[in-house]
Amino acid sequence: MGGKCPHRSVKKRRYSHKTARRTKFLHKGDDMVYDELKMPNEEKQRLPLDEDLPGMGQFYCLHCDRYFSNVAVRDEHFRTKRHKKRVKQMMGPAPHTQLDAELAAGMGMPDNGPKLMSM
């Protein structure tokens, strides 16, 4: 009569609401964010209105590449540990790029040494 419950053996692996929300917007890579931070202020443009983004796309953190619903939430984010860590990371040396990865894998231009005279 007893025994295990039949539905216990099946485990549904559903994503939580947080995971779905986190992957809703595409994020830029570290190297793209680093390049945007190094641009002069004259080249940076004002954010256009976008109905699909939170807060119409007006409240943006450049370091973390995130949009916020209003100024208060964005300012609260500026005080978080995650943001401060990201700012420190972006102020350091340049992150690795795809070119660096290809050179490390041996897929870049060959280095055959100095050219010798042929006889």
Side-chain angles (χ1 to χ4, degrees):
M1 296 281 171
K4 288 185 176 180
C5 190
H7 71 275
R8 290 257 179 172
S9 62
V10 178
K11 293 184 180 177
K12 294 181 182 176
R13 295 176 194 234
R14 293 186 180 168
Y15 290 110
S16 68
H17 174 71
K18 275 187 173 182
T19 306
R21 182 81 180 143
R22 203 177 304 132
T23 59
K24 185 174 181 180
F25 303 107
L26 296 176
H27 293 282
K28 298 176 189 169
D30 290 349
D31 54 338
M32 292 175 67
V33 172
Y34 187 82
D35 292 340
E36 280 189 18
L37 285 171
K38 295 302 176 192
M39 280 188 347
N41 288 336
E42 296 85 34
E43 293 182 22
K44 294 180 184 174
Q45 301 170 354
R46 191 165 188 277
L47 296 172
L49 291 176
D50 189 356
E51 294 180 4
D52 296 332
L53 295 173
M56 301 287 286
Q58 296 302 301
F59 311 107
Y60 179 67
C61 174
L62 186 61
H63 296 94
C64 302
D65 188 41
R66 287 185 61 191
Y67 290 94
F68 299 97
S69 58
N70 56 31
V71 175
V73 176
R74 186 191 64 189
D75 292 342
E76 185 178 324
H77 163 76
F78 287 157
R79 292 190 294 269
T80 61
K81 192 176 199 179
R82 177 181 284 173
H83 175 77
K84 291 176 184 176
K85 192 174 186 181
R86 183 76 172 174
V87 169
K88 188 175 180 181
Q89 179 185 6
M90 287 294 131
M91 292 302 155
H96 297 291
T97 61
Q98 184 64 32
L99 179 63
D100 295 338
E102 288 175 0
L103 290 174
M107 296 170 54
M109 295 292 293
D111 183 18
N112 296 333
K115 303 237 182 218
L116 301 175
M117 288 179 126
S118 61
M119 294 191 133

